[in-house]
Every structure is written in C-alpha cells, then in structure tokens.
Amino acid sequence: MIFYSSVESLFDTKLKTEYMLELRPSCENCNKLLPPESNNARICSYECTFCGDCVDHILKGVCPNCGGDFVIRPIRPAKCLIIDPASKTVIYKPLRS
Ligand SMILES: [Zn+2]
Ligand SMILES: [Zn+2]
C-alpha cells in the first residue's frame, strides 16, 4: 500500500495512472448511477462494478464476468478527483436469467 503525502506528489509518480481504480460511473447490471462518493458501489478484482443491491440479491456476491468476489469500492477523496477524475465510460451488460 502506498500513501501519498500530498496531492502534488501524485504528479510525480507513474504509479498514478497505472494503478488507479477506474471508478466506473454505473452498475453494469442495472445501470444505477454510482458516483465516486457512493458507498453503494462494489468492485471485483478486475474492477467490474455493480451496485450493492445487485451484488447482494442478484449476483449473490459472485462476479458474473470473472467469478470472483466483491469488495466495497473505496471512495476517492474529492481533492484527488480533481486530478484523477472518475471514469465516464458506462459499461452496461445486464444479466439475462
Ligand atoms: Zn445494480
Ligand atoms: Zn469481475
């Protein structure tokens, strides 16, 4: 785990873009908006992004893309979002049951 001492130090390191979470804007299954400050967002190790409702009730905690489990997506502080904004790329692949 790497801790940055200041926002400015983010500019200095190449780690920034290589290891940054994508913070996708919405749930892949139901397209519910999941803004960066949402505590309802869940991600798998590949950053497949779903809302908590879909993960708990539809996916049953298993990612439909990779079979992995989910964690609560960390919230990126607002000062960091200025430098590293959330992704605007919507991925919408609703499950067919
Ligand atoms: Zn959802
Ligand atoms: Zn996945």
Side-chain angles (χ1 to χ4, degrees):
M1 183 67 94
I2 296 165
F3 293 97
Y4 298 106
S5 55
S6 69
V7 170
E8 285 71 29
S9 72
L10 288 169
F11 286 115
D12 299 334
T13 174
K14 281 184 65 193
L15 291 175
K16 182 177 89 120
T17 44
E18 289 171 20
Y19 295 126
M20 191 174 72
L21 278 177
E22 227 178 275
L23 297 182
R24 293 174 188 168
S26 57
C27 172
E28 283 187 24
N29 186 54
C30 70
N31 214 21
K32 181 185 294 180
L33 287 178
L34 296 170
E37 69 276 13
S38 172
N39 57 16
N40 193 32
R42 306 286 184 275
I43 57 171
C44 81
S45 71
Y46 290 101
E47 298 177 48
C48 310
T49 303
F50 295 91
C51 71
D53 300 322
C54 288
V55 167
D56 292 344
H57 302 295
I58 297 171
L59 307 177
K60 309 291 187 193
V62 178
C63 176
N65 300 321
C66 69
D69 58 358
F70 288 98
V71 296
I72 295 172
R73 189 176 69 186
I75 292 176
R76 183 171 301 167
K79 64 179 182 183
C80 299
L81 284 168
I82 295 168
I83 298 168
D84 296 314
S87 168
K88 292 185 170 58
T89 306
V90 173
I91 297 177
Y92 182 40
K93 295 186 293 186
L95 296 180
R96 305 270 177 245
S97 53

